[in-house]
Amino acid sequence: MVIFDCNGVLVDSEQITAAAAADEFARAGIPITPELVTRYFSGRRPADMLAGIEAATGRKLPVNFSATLAAATLARLRAEVRAMPHAAHALTWLRGPKCVASSSPPDRVRTSLETTGLAKFFNFLFSASAVRNGKPAPDLFLHAASRMGGSSSGLHRGRGFPGWRRCSHGSGYGRTRICWGQPCGGAAWRAADIGGSADDRR
């Protein structure tokens, strides 16, 4: 069994979602570049990102900010997202059970896969919104492995598209492989990076 991350592994969406987030933060009066969104929050759940921004700035985001950001992100994905190079070809010859496990909300995962034509390869989608702890905790992948009937004791993790391509070779029904993208944003980051001057945010 192979468990795929979505963003940066199946679909080229990370720059799109980071830009959408940066735009919405700017409208809320919190200047942050897409590069910093990617650096600190890549692989994290949207709710964890918003909590991190509030903690770093000492400001509460607008009540409807989460819904506004979600709608803006979906609109950008529908217009711009593309599959990672050779993803469809690789998924065509990859045999055995496979699923998607992503930090993104279910509607964002479905939109990304449907827009890129990759949805047909997956019957099962899992989101970190269904588990207590998001990445980098292993809860999501353990949840997906359990629901898919795989073994969590032999999880093997690949990183990025080249990594998951290597994982695919020889993956069988008796073991579980995880194929994921960028490392999750680190917890050690400076509040000065958000809401500072352009020089501060380079």
PDB file of all heavy atoms in Angstrom, residues 158-178:
ATOM      1  N   GLY A 158       8.826   8.467   1.918  1.00  0.00           N
ATOM      2  CA  GLY A 158       9.594   9.087   0.850  1.00  0.00           C
ATOM      3  C   GLY A 158       9.320  10.581   0.849  1.00  0.00           C
ATOM      4  O   GLY A 158       8.311  11.033   1.352  1.00  0.00           O
ATOM      5  N   ARG A 159      10.224  11.356   0.284  1.00  0.00           N
ATOM      6  CA  ARG A 159      10.063  12.808   0.287  1.00  0.00           C
ATOM      7  C   ARG A 159      10.122  13.332  -1.131  1.00  0.00           C
ATOM      8  O   ARG A 159      11.035  13.045  -1.875  1.00  0.00           O
ATOM      9  CB  ARG A 159      11.171  13.466   1.112  1.00  0.00           C
ATOM     10  CG  ARG A 159      11.088  14.981   1.137  1.00  0.00           C
ATOM     11  CD  ARG A 159      12.215  15.561   1.970  1.00  0.00           C
ATOM     12  NE  ARG A 159      12.130  15.133   3.350  1.00  0.00           N
ATOM     13  CZ  ARG A 159      13.112  15.292   4.221  1.00  0.00           C
ATOM     14  NH1 ARG A 159      14.242  15.831   3.839  1.00  0.00           N
ATOM     15  NH2 ARG A 159      12.959  14.895   5.467  1.00  0.00           N
ATOM     16  N   GLY A 160       9.129  14.115  -1.504  1.00  0.00           N
ATOM     17  CA  GLY A 160       9.130  14.751  -2.810  1.00  0.00           C
ATOM     18  C   GLY A 160       8.803  13.765  -3.910  1.00  0.00           C
ATOM     19  O   GLY A 160       8.709  12.563  -3.705  1.00  0.00           O
ATOM     20  N   PHE A 161       8.629  14.275  -5.116  1.00  0.00           N
ATOM     21  CA  PHE A 161       8.252  13.388  -6.206  1.00  0.00           C
ATOM     22  C   PHE A 161       9.308  12.344  -6.519  1.00  0.00           C
ATOM     23  O   PHE A 161       8.989  11.165  -6.675  1.00  0.00           O
ATOM     24  CB  PHE A 161       7.902  14.196  -7.464  1.00  0.00           C
ATOM     25  CG  PHE A 161       7.292  13.352  -8.535  1.00  0.00           C
ATOM     26  CD1 PHE A 161       5.944  13.052  -8.507  1.00  0.00           C
ATOM     27  CD2 PHE A 161       8.073  12.828  -9.549  1.00  0.00           C
ATOM     28  CE1 PHE A 161       5.387  12.262  -9.489  1.00  0.00           C
ATOM     29  CE2 PHE A 161       7.514  12.041 -10.539  1.00  0.00           C
ATOM     30  CZ  PHE A 161       6.166  11.757 -10.509  1.00  0.00           C
ATOM     31  N   PRO A 162      10.613  12.719  -6.584  1.00  0.00           N
ATOM     32  CA  PRO A 162      11.610  11.661  -6.807  1.00  0.00           C
ATOM     33  C   PRO A 162      11.567  10.606  -5.719  1.00  0.00           C
ATOM     34  O   PRO A 162      11.749   9.425  -5.973  1.00  0.00           O
ATOM     35  CB  PRO A 162      12.941  12.433  -6.795  1.00  0.00           C
ATOM     36  CG  PRO A 162      12.565  13.819  -7.187  1.00  0.00           C
ATOM     37  CD  PRO A 162      11.208  14.047  -6.550  1.00  0.00           C
ATOM     38  N   GLY A 163      11.286  11.022  -4.476  1.00  0.00           N
ATOM     39  CA  GLY A 163      11.226  10.075  -3.372  1.00  0.00           C
ATOM     40  C   GLY A 163      10.075   9.107  -3.520  1.00  0.00           C
ATOM     41  O   GLY A 163      10.230   7.909  -3.312  1.00  0.00           O
ATOM     42  N   TRP A 164       8.915   9.652  -3.904  1.00  0.00           N
ATOM     43  CA  TRP A 164       7.795   8.720  -3.998  1.00  0.00           C
ATOM     44  C   TRP A 164       7.924   7.831  -5.207  1.00  0.00           C
ATOM     45  O   TRP A 164       7.473   6.703  -5.221  1.00  0.00           O
ATOM     46  CB  TRP A 164       6.459   9.434  -3.921  1.00  0.00           C
ATOM     47  CG  TRP A 164       5.811  10.062  -5.110  1.00  0.00           C
ATOM     48  CD1 TRP A 164       5.652  11.391  -5.328  1.00  0.00           C
ATOM     49  CD2 TRP A 164       5.132   9.407  -6.196  1.00  0.00           C
ATOM     50  NE1 TRP A 164       4.962  11.618  -6.481  1.00  0.00           N
ATOM     51  CE2 TRP A 164       4.603  10.417  -7.030  1.00  0.00           C
ATOM     52  CE3 TRP A 164       4.914   8.084  -6.540  1.00  0.00           C
ATOM     53  CZ2 TRP A 164       3.889  10.154  -8.196  1.00  0.00           C
ATOM     54  CZ3 TRP A 164       4.197   7.806  -7.697  1.00  0.00           C
ATOM     55  CH2 TRP A 164       3.691   8.838  -8.509  1.00  0.00           C
ATOM     56  N   ARG A 165       8.639   8.301  -6.214  1.00  0.00           N
ATOM     57  CA  ARG A 165       8.852   7.446  -7.368  1.00  0.00           C
ATOM     58  C   ARG A 165       9.725   6.248  -6.972  1.00  0.00           C
ATOM     59  O   ARG A 165       9.501   5.127  -7.398  1.00  0.00           O
ATOM     60  CB  ARG A 165       9.524   8.265  -8.477  1.00  0.00           C
ATOM     61  CG  ARG A 165       9.529   7.562  -9.818  1.00  0.00           C
ATOM     62  CD  ARG A 165       9.801   8.547 -10.940  1.00  0.00           C
ATOM     63  NE  ARG A 165      10.984   9.348 -10.679  1.00  0.00           N
ATOM     64  CZ  ARG A 165      11.350  10.368 -11.431  1.00  0.00           C
ATOM     65  NH1 ARG A 165      10.602  10.738 -12.453  1.00  0.00           N
ATOM     66  NH2 ARG A 165      12.451  11.035 -11.159  1.00  0.00           N
ATOM     67  N   ARG A 166      10.719   6.507  -6.107  1.00  0.00           N
ATOM     68  CA  ARG A 166      11.538   5.395  -5.611  1.00  0.00           C
ATOM     69  C   ARG A 166      10.722   4.470  -4.716  1.00  0.00           C
ATOM     70  O   ARG A 166      10.869   3.267  -4.744  1.00  0.00           O
ATOM     71  CB  ARG A 166      12.745   5.938  -4.846  1.00  0.00           C
ATOM     72  CG  ARG A 166      13.808   6.562  -5.734  1.00  0.00           C
ATOM     73  CD  ARG A 166      15.107   6.748  -4.968  1.00  0.00           C
ATOM     74  NE  ARG A 166      14.943   7.626  -3.826  1.00  0.00           N
ATOM     75  CZ  ARG A 166      15.077   8.938  -3.881  1.00  0.00           C
ATOM     76  NH1 ARG A 166      15.341   9.530  -5.029  1.00  0.00           N
ATOM     77  NH2 ARG A 166      14.932   9.670  -2.791  1.00  0.00           N
ATOM     78  N   CYS A 167       9.845   5.086  -3.896  1.00  0.00           N
ATOM     79  CA  CYS A 167       9.025   4.264  -3.009  1.00  0.00           C
ATOM     80  C   CYS A 167       8.158   3.299  -3.797  1.00  0.00           C
ATOM     81  O   CYS A 167       7.878   2.199  -3.359  1.00  0.00           O
ATOM     82  CB  CYS A 167       8.095   5.152  -2.172  1.00  0.00           C
ATOM     83  SG  CYS A 167       8.887   5.981  -0.810  1.00  0.00           S
ATOM     84  N   SER A 168       7.692   3.746  -4.970  1.00  0.00           N
ATOM     85  CA  SER A 168       6.740   2.943  -5.722  1.00  0.00           C
ATOM     86  C   SER A 168       7.326   1.592  -6.120  1.00  0.00           C
ATOM     87  O   SER A 168       6.629   0.597  -6.144  1.00  0.00           O
ATOM     88  CB  SER A 168       6.317   3.696  -6.986  1.00  0.00           C
ATOM     89  OG  SER A 168       5.720   4.925  -6.671  1.00  0.00           O
ATOM     90  N   HIS A 169       8.593   1.558  -6.433  1.00  0.00           N
ATOM     91  CA  HIS A 169       9.197   0.303  -6.873  1.00  0.00           C
ATOM     92  C   HIS A 169       9.170  -0.718  -5.748  1.00  0.00           C
ATOM     93  O   HIS A 169       9.679  -0.491  -4.664  1.00  0.00           O
ATOM     94  CB  HIS A 169      10.636   0.544  -7.332  1.00  0.00           C
ATOM     95  CG  HIS A 169      10.727   1.355  -8.579  1.00  0.00           C
ATOM     96  ND1 HIS A 169      10.284   0.909  -9.797  1.00  0.00           N
ATOM     97  CD2 HIS A 169      11.191   2.612  -8.781  1.00  0.00           C
ATOM     98  CE1 HIS A 169      10.483   1.837 -10.709  1.00  0.00           C
ATOM     99  NE2 HIS A 169      11.025   2.890 -10.121  1.00  0.00           N
ATOM    100  N   GLY A 170       8.560  -1.835  -6.011  1.00  0.00           N
ATOM    101  CA  GLY A 170       8.561  -2.923  -5.057  1.00  0.00           C
ATOM    102  C   GLY A 170       7.590  -2.756  -3.908  1.00  0.00           C
ATOM    103  O   GLY A 170       7.603  -3.553  -2.990  1.00  0.00           O
ATOM    104  N   SER A 171       6.757  -1.717  -3.930  1.00  0.00           N
ATOM    105  CA  SER A 171       5.802  -1.592  -2.828  1.00  0.00           C
ATOM    106  C   SER A 171       4.730  -2.650  -3.003  1.00  0.00           C
ATOM    107  O   SER A 171       4.137  -2.774  -4.056  1.00  0.00           O
ATOM    108  CB  SER A 171       5.171  -0.200  -2.805  1.00  0.00           C
ATOM    109  OG  SER A 171       4.280  -0.036  -3.881  1.00  0.00           O
ATOM    110  N   GLY A 172       4.507  -3.429  -1.985  1.00  0.00           N
ATOM    111  CA  GLY A 172       3.560  -4.524  -2.087  1.00  0.00           C
ATOM    112  C   GLY A 172       2.442  -4.406  -1.087  1.00  0.00           C
ATOM    113  O   GLY A 172       2.353  -3.444  -0.342  1.00  0.00           O
ATOM    114  N   TYR A 173       1.583  -5.383  -1.073  1.00  0.00           N
ATOM    115  CA  TYR A 173       0.431  -5.366  -0.192  1.00  0.00           C
ATOM    116  C   TYR A 173       0.826  -5.558   1.262  1.00  0.00           C
ATOM    117  O   TYR A 173       0.091  -5.209   2.157  1.00  0.00           O
ATOM    118  CB  TYR A 173      -0.550  -6.466  -0.604  1.00  0.00           C
ATOM    119  CG  TYR A 173      -1.221  -6.207  -1.922  1.00  0.00           C
ATOM    120  CD1 TYR A 173      -0.638  -6.598  -3.120  1.00  0.00           C
ATOM    121  CD2 TYR A 173      -2.450  -5.558  -1.969  1.00  0.00           C
ATOM    122  CE1 TYR A 173      -1.264  -6.354  -4.336  1.00  0.00           C
ATOM    123  CE2 TYR A 173      -3.072  -5.320  -3.177  1.00  0.00           C
ATOM    124  CZ  TYR A 173      -2.469  -5.722  -4.359  1.00  0.00           C
ATOM    125  OH  TYR A 173      -3.085  -5.473  -5.543  1.00  0.00           O
ATOM    126  N   GLY A 174       1.981  -6.132   1.526  1.00  0.00           N
ATOM    127  CA  GLY A 174       2.349  -6.470   2.890  1.00  0.00           C
ATOM    128  C   GLY A 174       2.997  -5.355   3.678  1.00  0.00           C
ATOM    129  O   GLY A 174       3.291  -5.520   4.841  1.00  0.00           O
ATOM    130  N   ARG A 175       3.257  -4.217   3.050  1.00  0.00           N
ATOM    131  CA  ARG A 175       3.878  -3.126   3.791  1.00  0.00           C
ATOM    132  C   ARG A 175       3.310  -1.799   3.312  1.00  0.00           C
ATOM    133  O   ARG A 175       2.717  -1.710   2.249  1.00  0.00           O
ATOM    134  CB  ARG A 175       5.395  -3.156   3.615  1.00  0.00           C
ATOM    135  CG  ARG A 175       5.857  -3.226   2.189  1.00  0.00           C
ATOM    136  CD  ARG A 175       7.360  -3.425   2.124  1.00  0.00           C
ATOM    137  NE  ARG A 175       7.774  -3.776   0.773  1.00  0.00           N
ATOM    138  CZ  ARG A 175       9.028  -3.946   0.405  1.00  0.00           C
ATOM    139  NH1 ARG A 175       9.978  -3.798   1.299  1.00  0.00           N
ATOM    140  NH2 ARG A 175       9.341  -4.271  -0.820  1.00  0.00           N
ATOM    141  N   THR A 176       3.514  -0.790   4.109  1.00  0.00           N
ATOM    142  CA  THR A 176       2.928   0.503   3.819  1.00  0.00           C
ATOM    143  C   THR A 176       4.025   1.516   3.530  1.00  0.00           C
ATOM    144  O   THR A 176       4.985   1.632   4.282  1.00  0.00           O
ATOM    145  CB  THR A 176       2.105   1.003   5.025  1.00  0.00           C
ATOM    146  OG1 THR A 176       1.102   0.026   5.321  1.00  0.00           O
ATOM    147  CG2 THR A 176       1.427   2.329   4.710  1.00  0.00           C
ATOM    148  N   ARG A 177       3.899   2.235   2.440  1.00  0.00           N
ATOM    149  CA  ARG A 177       4.854   3.278   2.086  1.00  0.00           C
ATOM    150  C   ARG A 177       4.152   4.631   2.162  1.00  0.00           C
ATOM    151  O   ARG A 177       3.021   4.773   1.725  1.00  0.00           O
ATOM    152  CB  ARG A 177       5.372   3.073   0.654  1.00  0.00           C
ATOM    153  CG  ARG A 177       5.902   1.674   0.363  1.00  0.00           C
ATOM    154  CD  ARG A 177       7.283   1.475   0.918  1.00  0.00           C
ATOM    155  NE  ARG A 177       7.797   0.154   0.545  1.00  0.00           N
ATOM    156  CZ  ARG A 177       8.882  -0.026  -0.195  1.00  0.00           C
ATOM    157  NH1 ARG A 177       9.557   0.988  -0.650  1.00  0.00           N
ATOM    158  NH2 ARG A 177       9.298  -1.251  -0.458  1.00  0.00           N
ATOM    159  N   ILE A 178       4.854   5.624   2.690  1.00  0.00           N
ATOM    160  CA  ILE A 178       4.330   6.985   2.725  1.00  0.00           C
ATOM    161  C   ILE A 178       5.153   7.830   1.775  1.00  0.00           C
ATOM    162  O   ILE A 178       6.378   7.801   1.820  1.00  0.00           O
ATOM    163  CB  ILE A 178       4.423   7.594   4.137  1.00  0.00           C
ATOM    164  CG1 ILE A 178       3.605   6.772   5.121  1.00  0.00           C
ATOM    165  CG2 ILE A 178       3.927   9.031   4.137  1.00  0.00           C
ATOM    166  CD1 ILE A 178       3.764   7.254   6.547  1.00  0.00           C
TER     167      ILE A 178
END
